[in-house]
Amino acid sequence: MFSRPAVQSSTRLYTTGRQLRQDVFHSQKDDPSVSAFLSSFNTPPATPQTLTEKIVQRYAVGLAKDRYVRAGDYVTLAPHRCMTHDNSWPVALKFMSIGASHIHDPQQIVMTLDHDVQNQSPTNLKKYRQIEEFARQQGVDFYPAGRGIGHQIMVEEGYAWPGTLAVASDSHSNMYGGVACLGTPVVRTDAASIWATGRTWWQIPPIAKVTFAGTLPVGVTGKDVIVALCGLFNDDEVLNHAIEFAGSDETLRSIPIDDRLAIANMTTEWGALSGLFPMDGVLRGWLRYKATAQALLSDPAAATSDVARFAHSRLEELFERPVAADRRAKYAKSLFLDLSSLSPYVSGPNSVKVATPLSILETQHICVDKAYLVSCTNSRASDLAAAAKVFKDRAHESADGKTPRVADGVTFYIAAASLPEQQIAEDAGDWQTLLDAGAKPLPAGCGPCIGLGTGLLESGEVGISASNRNFKGRMGSTDARAYLASPEVVAASALHGHISGPGWYAAPAGVKGVRRGEGDGIREEDRMMTVEEALEKIIAQADELVEHAEQTGLGHAVSEAPAVSRLTEVLPGFPETVTGEILFCDADNINTDGIYPGKYTYQDDVTRDQMADVCMSNFDPAFSTLARPGDILVAGFNFGCGSSREQAATAILARDIPLVVAGSFGNIFARNSINNALMGVEVPRLVQRL
């Protein structure tokens, strides 16, 4: 029996059950057979944590002893890896401007060149040489232009390692979550700090759990999953959250690693700061395959060096101590999606928040001018194989067996995520099939996805892409229409000349619409619990009752100390008031492409006046004539979503706008604003009234 504490006052408070809980009887612990069984449950710590919190715990610096991190905490992080790409030279200039000369930990840093690889101008080539020379001098790992997209390199080379935390100065760092690595973006100033000190700051975001049920039907891909999630949960449900994906073993087995990478990649467009899959059997199989391939193909001398990141010995160590969320971890919200009820989806036009079943768009006969199989989202070997199969199937159906050509008037661009992925596709014959179909190859890199190089959308054109963003003006003209879809839908659309699929999908019997919503998706009548889960549920309910009793004093109101009004201290030199005329941008989800066009992002010689001229030009070409120095920019919700470009904040400052008021901000824009002294205030009620 529990002893009852002495009553010291008229209001008696209980101790919660989790503090008094005894796991098992001593006699059970003494029984070897029972003890072995009980140890398999891996009893969680006194403070249950999510997978995100556990990984952050590993890489947080300066925590007090026995301090468990929680969502909402500000922490100092020493990331396992930090990747920078074409913005490495601007980062280097910031790094040197703070007096730093040597990178704190060269093994922590990875540099890649991937965004503007088609640009052969003397200015860009000079910048690329500067980055390569700087990397060589500092002794960091460097991958030149044409080797591949930085995020793909991080995954295929083992820098994004399961159970670790990796950051990059790019918004699609979320992709690392596909291999159970907590990936989240930082901005250029943060990257310079990591170079100099090995550390940066982060506020752990609220954490959302997204549970998948069922299994992926034939003809439905990871791209369809994330496009559907962006469109079906399009009310900022996961804005500025960290996402953890979950599901049964059967469900997760239906989602291959490449599909997980696509899903995690586009959690950025869904509004999240990370998208983390668990460490499970699918990941273990993929890692063992990578380790075996490396052992067979690599130089034996490298097998014992730091280059051998996929060594079997390292895997065994990982598998012995896998990290997972605790059973009683608390989440800010829970959503579910039944994969079995999903069909192919298409995003757009010009918004990821608009998602439509392919079957509906096929009836509208939407003609396309350009098709793109590019980007870190969907241009791996498996994606190229899926696209090639569309043309191979048509060849098998034809009398001459020849590979059909893309439709007249359609230009089809392809670029592999990396050279190794392209080599796999070439060896399988898939790359040649796509070339035979008339596809135009581009170097492994970002290219059209970021709006750089060959093949951009022109005014009035319609494009369909396997990339991750279809924001207005991102892939070319602001008067073009852009859709997003899976590689096979992109290929089929190029073949037919209008948005269409390959015909691989057949709806499962009894499926009527997509089943999704809040919670874990398990119907109460179907819910089965183990004895342990039932006990944990009872204990959790008891704890809630006890906590409620503590707060109310067993029915007697507990007097609270009067709230103390505390004004924020204003530092010397900081303006106590900001006045100006309101410049109202009446829209939600104004993205960084709308604030500062992507085509200028990697031009490092843009002057302050030029930045001011193009500020908000993709949102409204007349903005430069309307905005005056001292104006206060007021916008809707989720202002500054999208990419990590720092110029989205500095261009507003260049326009002499001292303050932005919004219903809410995209987290990475808010981070850039803080680092560059642009004031931002969230006033949702004001925005709603306006």
Side-chain angles (χ1 to χ4, degrees):
M1 291 180 62
F2 295 137
S3 61
R4 179 173 294 177
V7 177
Q8 298 179 350
S9 67
S10 58
T11 300
R12 179 168 54 82
L13 303 184
Y14 284 111
T15 303
T16 61
R18 71 171 57 93
Q19 291 174 309
L20 301 175
R21 179 184 178 189
Q22 180 174 317
D23 293 329
V24 295
F25 292 109
H26 294 293
S27 60
Q28 290 179 308
K29 289 184 176 180
D30 293 338
D31 185 327
S33 60
V34 176
S35 178
F37 169 75
L38 292 169
S39 66
S40 67
F41 286 120
N42 292 323
T43 303
T47 304
Q49 290 179 301
T50 65
L51 179 56
T52 300
E53 290 165 341
K54 283 192 171 185
I55 294 176
V56 172
Q57 184 87 33
R58 289 182 168 187
Y59 292 92
V61 177
L63 293 178
K65 183 181 179 181
D66 298 327
R67 169 81 162 84
Y68 287 96
V69 301
R70 308 293 294 171
D73 290 350
Y74 282 90
V75 292
T76 298
L77 291 176
H80 178 62
R81 302 287 185 183
C82 173
M83 186 271 285
T84 57
H85 46 60
D86 289 35
N87 54 27
S88 295
W89 189 243
V91 172
L93 295 177
K94 285 180 176 288
F95 170 80
M96 291 182 283
S97 72
I98 61 176
S101 58
H102 298 286
I103 286 179
H104 176 79
D105 180 5
Q107 291 188 347
Q108 187 183 32
I109 309 303
V110 181
M111 295 185 191
T112 67
L113 299 179
D114 58 7
H115 272 57
D116 204 11
V117 296
Q118 298 178 43
N119 184 354
Q120 299 298 305
S121 69
T123 300
N124 193 56
L125 294 179
K126 177 184 177 182
K127 180 175 72 173
Y128 277 9
R129 286 194 301 270
Q130 289 173 320
I131 294 171
E132 183 172 7
E133 177 62 17
F134 183 82
R136 186 189 64 77
Q137 291 175 351
Q138 296 290 336
V140 305
D141 289 356
F142 171 79
Y143 294 84
R147 168 57 177 79
I149 301 173
H151 298 307
Q152 176 64 26
I153 290 171
M154 289 287 285
V155 171
E156 72 186 18
E157 293 294 332
Y159 296 110
W161 191 252
T164 69
L165 189 151
V167 300
S169 55
D170 187 277
S171 58
H172 286 106
S173 313
N174 296 28
M175 188 178 99
Y176 313 150
V179 291
C181 169
L182 179 57
T184 195
V186 294
V187 298
R188 296 179 180 186
T189 302
D190 301 320
S193 170
I194 294 170
W195 287 10
T197 69
R199 302 178 181 185
T200 187
W201 65 273
W202 201 46
Q203 183 183 20
I204 306 173
I207 302 165
K209 185 177 184 178
V210 177
T211 301
F212 292 135
T215 57
L216 280 178
V218 174
V220 180
T221 70
K223 185 59 164 284
D224 298 307
V225 172
I226 190 59
V227 165
L229 286 171
C230 290
L232 298 175
F233 296 98
N234 62 1
D235 196 24
D236 294 341
E237 287 90 344
V238 297
L239 178 63
N240 296 333
H241 282 61
I243 294 174
E244 293 184 14
F245 294 107
S248 69
D249 289 344
E250 180 185 17
T251 295
L252 293 175
R253 279 197 300 270
S254 75
I255 312 176
I257 293 298
D258 283 1
D259 282 326
R260 296 182 186 195
L261 292 171
I263 293 170
N265 182 291
M266 277 190 65
T267 56
T268 302
E269 280 63 48
W270 200 14
L273 298 177
S274 62
L276 191 58
F277 277 85
M279 294 172 61
D280 65 349
V282 174
L283 179 60
R284 290 188 184 95
W286 182 82
L287 290 169
R288 291 191 190 281
Y289 167 80
K290 293 285 290 184
T292 301
Q294 184 188 65
L296 292 173
L297 301 176
S298 297
D299 181 353
T304 57
S305 72
D306 291 336
V307 177
R309 285 174 286 273
F310 285 101
H312 279 287
S313 58
R314 190 182 184 200
L315 297 188
E316 294 308 319
E317 182 179 346
L318 175 69
F319 299 157
E320 285 178 5
R321 292 188 294 273
V323 58
D326 293 321
R327 292 185 184 88
R328 295 172 62 191
K330 292 185 178 180
Y331 293 88
K333 62 181 61 175
S334 295
L335 305 172
F336 77 90
L337 175 68
D338 188 342
L339 302 182
S340 299
S341 67
L342 201 61
S343 65
Y345 262 74
V346 176
S347 172
N350 295 353
S351 174
V352 295
K353 287 178 175 274
V354 178
T356 308
L358 173 65
S359 57
I360 294 176
L361 294 183
E362 284 182 310
T363 65
Q364 299 176 13
H365 203 84
I366 301 171
C367 294
V368 299
D369 301 288
K370 292 185 172 77
Y372 305 89
L373 181 47
V374 299
S375 86
C376 54
T377 315
N378 280 117
S379 58
R380 284 169 280 280
S382 61
D383 302 312
L384 296 165
K389 187 176 184 300
V390 173
F391 295 95
K392 290 178 179 179
D393 286 353
R394 178 59 65 89
H396 290 321
E397 296 169 0
S398 65
D400 57 12
K402 292 183 178 180
T403 301
R405 304 279 294 181
V406 298
D408 292 341
V410 176
T411 308
F412 184 22
Y413 295 97
I414 61 172
S418 69
L419 282 182
E421 293 295 311
Q422 181 174 328
Q423 186 62 57
I424 295 171
E426 289 177 354
D427 293 344
D430 297 323
W431 189 262
Q432 189 59 49
T433 295
L434 295 172
L435 296 181
D436 292 343
K440 295 183 179 296
L442 299 174
C446 302
C449 177
I450 187 64
L452 297 171
T454 301
L456 304 187
L457 289 173
E458 298 179 8
S459 179
E461 288 189 329
V462 175
I464 186 165
S465 177
S467 54
N468 44 42
R469 285 195 179 130
N470 56 353
F471 300 156
K472 186 177 78 169
R474 177 177 173 86
M475 297 182 69
S477 171
T478 55
D479 295 321
R481 288 184 294 157
Y483 294 85
L484 303 177
S486 67
E488 45 263 56
V489 169
V490 169
S493 300
L495 176 62
H496 299 133
H498 56 87
I499 294 179
S500 59
W504 300 342
Y505 171 73
V511 171
K512 295 180 180 179
V514 179
R515 197 172 75 87
R516 86 279 187 184
E518 297 182 353
D520 60 11
I522 302 176
R523 301 180 179 90
E524 288 304 317
E525 60 270 23
D526 297 332
R527 191 180 300 276
M528 296 180 64
M529 291 187 183
T530 64
V531 172
E532 185 190 25
E533 289 170 339
L535 286 172
E536 287 186 347
K537 182 176 181 181
I538 293 170
I539 292 168
Q541 291 172 342
D543 284 345
E544 290 177 2
L545 290 173
V546 171
E547 288 170 4
H548 178 70
E550 289 178 341
Q551 294 168 4
T552 61
L554 294 177
H556 303 288
V558 177
S559 60
E560 296 182 359
V564 179
S565 177
R566 295 176 180 172
L567 296 177
T568 301
E569 180 184 358
V570 178
L571 298 175
F574 194 91
E576 294 190 10
T577 61
V578 179
T579 60
E581 291 193 13
I582 288 178
L583 188 63
F584 187 35
C585 297
D586 186 12
D588 295 332
N589 305 301
I590 297 177
N591 56 70
T592 50
D593 281 275
I595 301 170
Y596 190 79
K599 61 185 177 181
Y600 302 111
T601 303
Y602 299 100
Q603 295 181 23
D604 299 330
D605 56 352
V606 177
T607 66
R608 180 182 174 90
D609 288 342
Q610 290 172 326
M611 291 181 72
D613 287 340
V614 301
C615 178
M616 301 294 292
S617 59
N618 270 358
F619 172 74
D620 182 358
F623 185 87
S624 62
T625 62
L626 298 173
R628 292 178 296 183
D631 282 351
I632 296 174
L633 194 157
V634 179
F637 290 85
N638 198 19
F639 182 82
C641 58
S643 77
S644 61
R645 67 194 61 163
E646 198 165 56
Q647 298 97 322
T650 55
I652 293 174
L653 288 170
R655 193 73 237 176
D656 291 324
I657 294 173
L659 174 66
V660 180
V661 178
S664 61
F665 291 102
N667 180 276
I668 202 162
F669 175 83
R671 194 177 182 99
N672 272 320
S673 298
I674 292 170
N675 288 342
N676 289 279
L678 171 64
M679 289 185 287
V681 180
E682 292 186 347
V683 191
R685 287 190 177 182
L686 171 64
V687 172
Q688 288 169 344
R689 289 174 181 173
L690 288 174

